[in-house]
Amino acid sequence: MGFIKEFKEFAMKGNVMDMAVGVIIGGAFGKIVTSLVNDVLMPVISLVTGGIDFTNLFVNLSDDTKYKTLAEAQEAGASLLAYGQFIQNIIDFVIVAFCIFLMIKGMNKLNRKKEEPEAPAAPAGPTQEELLAEIRDLLKQK
């Protein structure tokens, strides 16, 4: 029974729960970024590069047959070096990394504002001892 209790305490600690929430949000964030890449950025990049579809780039290693698409070559069972999908994954990674960088930068900026000390209070006047010493010195002068 001690093992189950210990596991429950571990699972309910704040760090584990925070990590679970992070994984779930990260999965959803990944879908958003993948959609951004596939549906928004890649068509623009394809337009700029003259209509190149990166996911369809490949080299046939098995023979000299010319296949029009990657799917056609895979269906024929040709030995392929499909480097286009690799390029696509690199672009996805760079965009995801940049988005995460911006998100963390924003969160750090918010945390810095919370941690900044409040403006120092107006300087306090002289202490009672200082005032008494000043009065004493004035009385000595007279």
Side-chain angles (χ1 to χ4, degrees):
M1 194 65 172
F3 178 77
I4 293 173
K5 183 179 177 186
E6 196 174 331
F7 178 75
K8 183 178 177 183
E9 288 175 11
F10 167 76
M12 292 303 171
K13 283 186 181 176
N15 292 342
V16 174
M17 297 305 286
D18 290 343
M19 184 181 70
V21 169
V23 167
I24 292 167
I25 290 175
F29 185 70
K31 289 180 182 178
I32 292 170
V33 172
T34 299
S35 176
L36 172 71
V37 170
N38 292 338
D39 302 331
V40 177
L41 296 177
M42 289 314 292
V44 173
I45 291 172
S46 180
L47 181 67
V48 170
T49 59
I52 295 174
D53 177 14
F54 288 104
T55 59
N56 210 25
L57 298 176
F58 65 94
V59 173
N60 183 358
L61 301 174
S62 59
D63 54 30
D64 291 333
T65 306
K66 300 285 183 184
Y67 299 104
K68 292 182 180 182
T69 65
L70 177 62
E72 183 182 317
Q74 288 172 333
E75 189 175 302
S79 180
L80 304 171
L81 178 65
Y83 63 92
Q85 187 61 46
F86 181 70
I87 293 171
Q88 178 71 36
N89 289 338
I90 289 173
I91 293 170
D92 287 352
F93 172 78
V94 169
I95 293 170
V96 168
F98 183 71
C99 290
I100 290 173
F101 167 75
L102 292 177
M103 187 173 71
I104 290 174
K105 185 175 179 175
M107 290 175 63
N108 286 342
K109 193 172 188 178
L110 289 175
N111 286 339
R112 258 187 259 132
K113 285 183 181 178
K114 289 180 185 176
E115 293 172 3
E116 286 180 7
E118 294 180 16
T127 64
Q128 187 175 3
E129 288 80 16
E130 293 171 340
L131 287 174
L132 288 173
E134 192 176 323
I135 292 170
R136 180 195 64 210
D137 293 342
L138 288 173
L139 288 173
K140 281 183 184 178
Q141 288 176 0
K142 288 185 179 185

